[in-house]
Amino acid sequence: MRSVEPMQGYRASSSGRRRGRVIRRKEMPLWQELPLLLVVAFCLAVLIRTFLVQAFYIPSGSMQTTLEIKDRVLVNKVVYDMRDPVRGEIVVFRGTDNWAPEQPAEPLSNDFGAKLGRTIGDLVGVSRPGERDFIKRVIGLPGDKVACCDDQGRITVNGESIDEGYIFEDSAIEAPPNPRQCTSRRFAEVTVPAGEMFVMGDHRLVSQDARCQGPVPIDNIIGRAFVIVWPTKHFTSLSVPDNWKAYGEAHPVAAATVGGQPQREPDPATAAVMLPFLLSVGVSARSGQWLWPRRRRLRS
């Protein structure tokens, strides 16, 4: 009778050699991988734009010289899910029906290609802005009494004068108030309603804001502008001015109430955390190129 032991040994030896060998998976050709990378990049851009950070284009001069025309800013879209706005912050929001666009609307093409392009652009944040998207500085919060002017022509919040060193050109103090145009620096005292905010542009001479168009619901906020990313020579963070920080410490935001409920304490570190996160998720595994969220224009 023939023995089968040698064959079994052979199998074991062969199996051992196979186990010891490094099996290399064949790499996907670039022509197949590139569409996959584009799909992944598109999905990341949509997720980032929808939930985290969005880029906006500044089309007008109502926030000069803090924001210049054609600047691009990044807007943190989640910070106000964790806290309430703070006086002195720059926010992007949707205006109410009382707010008139500061830039004339451009004609839109209605052919299929243009509509498809606008749809895709809106998903990734490269579309033209809505007519009621604005960017301004928060001046008053629910319950605040905002007025102008004191004997030096400054605004007052709850009777305290505010030095606004960031103002580029102020409106004329001698001009009579106009209910639909902010041509005058002076306006009667406004008590900010619950759930709303009083916002103004830094270039008061041209800005159409809450002075003549009324407060805006806090729920209309899209996010906080926290950094200028383009052009590179304008790169800077958009922090709360020191005078507003001091005012906030003396008059805590949490002291105001909305619907009888205290507001949440501010978390200044949130915006600083978002930028590194954006950079980390925006790197392509193959090319190493930055996948910045696309920009969107807005009415400033």
Side-chain angles (χ1 to χ4, degrees), residues 3 12 48 52 59 125 185 192 231 267 275:
S3 172
I48 292 170
L52 300 177
R185 190 184 313 185
V192 183
D267 179 12
L275 185 57

Side-chain angles (χ1 to χ4, degrees), residues 224-299:
R224 176 192 174 188
F226 65 96
V227 65
I228 302 173
V229 293
W230 190 263
T232 54
K233 64 182 180 180
H234 293 170
F235 181 86
T236 186
S237 63
L238 298 172
S239 57
V240 177
D242 290 339
N243 63 320
W244 281 115
K245 290 180 181 177
Y247 183 89
E249 291 174 358
H251 306 80
V253 176
T257 58
V258 181
Q261 297 297 321
Q263 294 181 320
R264 293 162 289 185
E265 291 290 344
D267 179 12
T270 304
V273 172
M274 290 306 305
L275 185 57
F277 176 80
L278 172 64
L279 296 177
S280 66
V281 299
V283 179
S284 167
R286 183 179 183 91
S287 64
Q289 297 295 317
W290 299 111
L291 300 178
W292 287 96
R294 304 298 184 182
R295 64 181 182 273
R296 182 181 178 189
R297 296 181 60 191
L298 51 88
R299 307 302 178 188

